[in-house]
Amino acid sequence: MKNILKYLGMAAIGGAILSGCGGGSSGTAPNGANAAPPSAARPDAARPDVARPDAARPGTTMTPDPATGASPGQAEGVGTAAGTSAAVGPCNAVTWSAGINYPLGTVVLYLPNGLYYKVVQVAGNGSDGTTPTISTWYWAQTTCGIASSKKISAGYYPNWTPSPVRIRDVNARYNLIYLFAATPVGGPPGSTGAVTWSAPGNGRGAATNLKADIQYARSTQGRKIILSVGGAGNGMSFPNRTKSQTFVNSIAAVHAQLGGIDGMDWNTFEGSQTPDTGEMIWISLELKKRFPGFIISAPPAPWNPVDKEFCRAMVAAGALDYAAPQYYDGPDLANPAYVVENIKQWVSLLGASHVVVGFGIDHATNYMTRDQAIATWKQVKANHPDIRGGFDWSIHTDEAQGWPFANGVAPLINP
């Protein structure tokens, strides 16, 4: 219950509704105190030195995109179709070709817009030669970020550490690394829509070798590298398309600066700020169009109804690959029983393939022990065999403690 009095009615101080990961120090969560389980009076604000207050915000309703017909529970398919080009992307999609009758479950990459679509209905001739963007009866937009046969085992890599482990030397059990964090130019909520990102400390050569290590991790080690945006009080707003377009261009610039990245993590909503859901959907789909296979994720507050609606709308529009609720750094969040029950709500809302479990293992209040995290994952996996995976805050803390997540939980995520 640390700092619980500070939580009440202080939505403007520190934390983020979707600033998912972003603590103010190496031992704090990306979002700070990011949820209020049943035993806590709703924590409307995180500690002043931490990321997210998770105050309840006015909801933003977004119905499934009529152009795609995508629904919250869709999972990636792995089918292929005879007569098409070789499989592309980790979900084994094929490049769409005109006139092909694709069978049920096939996932295609539609090159004109760089998006993925799945055959969800068939007639006598499969997809009947239809075009994915025209026939929403046969087709629904989907994603192709992480291979369905391999679950996400992720960790956040904060850039404030003076001597962090190099990216290529991060424990091999991490198959996805979040670069934390890009922040808005001009401070929150952003003056132009652009973001800036700084390299980590260079005590062990992490900064000097950053670009080479990122590309080595992607090409040789088979890892995904995702840029986390926001956190630690750095909320952003997108009140108009001009600011949204500037944001897209800014992410593209970081993509080029680093030699390529695999996705972006929405950590940009703080306190009582209402999410600009429609613009965030547009931004996400633009990035997916520009960079085929680009992953979009978000680490919401587990309890927050506004976060839930935001993630539901994003998934329904094909703009969010998965949500990763964070169960740490807030009153009772790390209670295994709470995690197991709360995950059921997220799975019901989004489908198991769109849910990742956020762990924090540390010798600190409101964090789990290694054994608690292991037991929690086992129960979650038993309840939801198709759960998308888990992440840990943070890689630096994990290394300092002898890799309890990487060597304890991750082997259970991907045996």
Side-chain angles (χ1 to χ4, degrees):
M1 303 296 289
K2 179 173 57 177
N3 291 320
I4 185 62
L5 294 179
K6 291 184 180 180
Y7 288 144
L8 302 178
M10 296 176 63
I13 303 179
I17 289 245
L18 280 178
S19 97
C21 295
S25 64
S26 61
T28 55
N31 292 333
N34 46 37
S39 64
R42 187 176 60 81
D44 287 338
R47 305 192 303 264
D49 63 325
V50 183
R52 39 174 301 165
D54 293 319
R57 306 179 305 241
T60 296
T61 302
M62 180 65 63
T63 56
D65 188 341
T68 65
S71 61
Q74 288 172 350
E76 290 82 5
V78 294
T80 57
T84 64
S85 60
V88 295
C91 65
N92 215 23
V94 295
T95 302
W96 180 84
S97 297
I100 300 297
N101 299 324
Y102 295 96
L104 185 68
T106 302
V107 176
V108 301
L109 170 62
Y110 186 63
L111 289 179
N113 63 10
L115 300 179
Y116 292 90
Y117 297 85
K118 179 180 178 180
V119 180
V120 294
Q121 300 282 353
V122 294
N125 292 319
S127 64
D128 210 24
T130 53
T131 302
T133 55
I134 295 176
S135 176
T136 56
W137 187 82
Y138 289 101
W139 300 93
Q141 190 175 316
T142 187
T143 54
C144 191
I146 299 290
S148 58
S149 62
K150 191 172 186 179
K151 296 184 182 295
I152 292 171
S153 179
Y156 278 82
Y157 187 89
N159 62 354
W160 58 63
T161 304
S163 185
V165 59
R166 287 174 54 178
I167 291 287
R168 66 181 292 163
D169 295 329
V170 168
N171 190 295
R173 284 286 187 175
Y174 284 103
N175 60 27
L176 188 153
I177 296 172
Y178 295 99
L179 301 178
F180 185 84
T183 56
V185 171
S191 57
T192 66
V195 297
T196 182
W197 186 81
S198 300
N202 201 37
R204 286 187 275 176
T208 301
N209 299 284
L210 184 66
K211 183 175 179 179
D213 284 357
I214 286 175
Q215 299 317 314
Y216 180 82
R218 299 175 70 219
S219 62
T220 302
Q221 296 176 328
R223 308 196 209 216
K224 300 294 183 183
I225 306 295
I226 293 182
L227 179 68
S228 188
V229 179
N234 288 290
M236 291 190 72
S237 67
F238 301 97
N240 54 61
R241 186 57 51 85
T242 298
K243 194 171 181 180
S244 298
Q245 184 65 66
T246 300
F247 180 85
V248 169
N249 294 342
S250 182
I251 295 298
V254 176
H255 188 287
Q257 172 192 346
L258 297 177
I261 54 177
D262 301 292
M264 189 197 74
D265 185 48
W266 281 113
N267 284 282
T268 55
F269 287 93
E270 303 281 336
S272 59
Q273 181 179 324
T274 302
D276 302 301
T277 306
E279 286 302 299
M280 290 182 69
I281 288 173
W282 182 85
I283 289 168
S284 300
L285 294 179
E286 280 295 299
L287 288 170
K288 285 178 172 292
K289 179 179 178 180
R290 189 173 297 199
F291 308 111
F294 204 70
I295 301 165
I296 301 292
S297 64
W303 61 272
N304 195 295
V306 178
D307 286 25
K308 289 179 179 179
E309 172 56 23
F310 171 83
C311 291
R312 186 209 63 77
M314 290 281 286
V315 169
L320 186 70
D321 292 87
Y322 62 86
Q326 301 174 72
Y327 299 98
Y328 52 92
D329 203 30
D332 292 335
L333 284 178
N335 183 327
Y338 173 71
V339 177
V340 170
E341 289 305 308
N342 187 260
I343 282 291
K344 291 179 181 178
Q345 298 178 25
W346 284 94
V347 168
S348 177
L349 181 69
L350 305 180
S353 66
H354 294 288
V355 179
V356 168
V357 184
F359 291 94
I361 301 176
D362 199 354
H363 303 300
T365 303
N366 299 320
Y367 283 77
M368 287 188 184
T369 65
R370 177 183 183 275
D371 290 345
Q372 285 177 320
I374 288 173
T376 301
W377 173 258
K378 286 181 177 179
Q379 187 59 60
V380 169
K381 178 68 181 298
N383 292 344
H384 316 287
D386 296 327
I387 197 80
R388 191 73 171 264
F391 82 76
D392 182 51
W393 176 266
S394 69
I395 287 174
H396 305 330
T397 303
D398 201 32
E399 181 195 24
Q401 296 182 88
W403 303 108
F405 179 86
N407 293 335
V409 180
L412 302 176
I413 295 176
N414 288 301

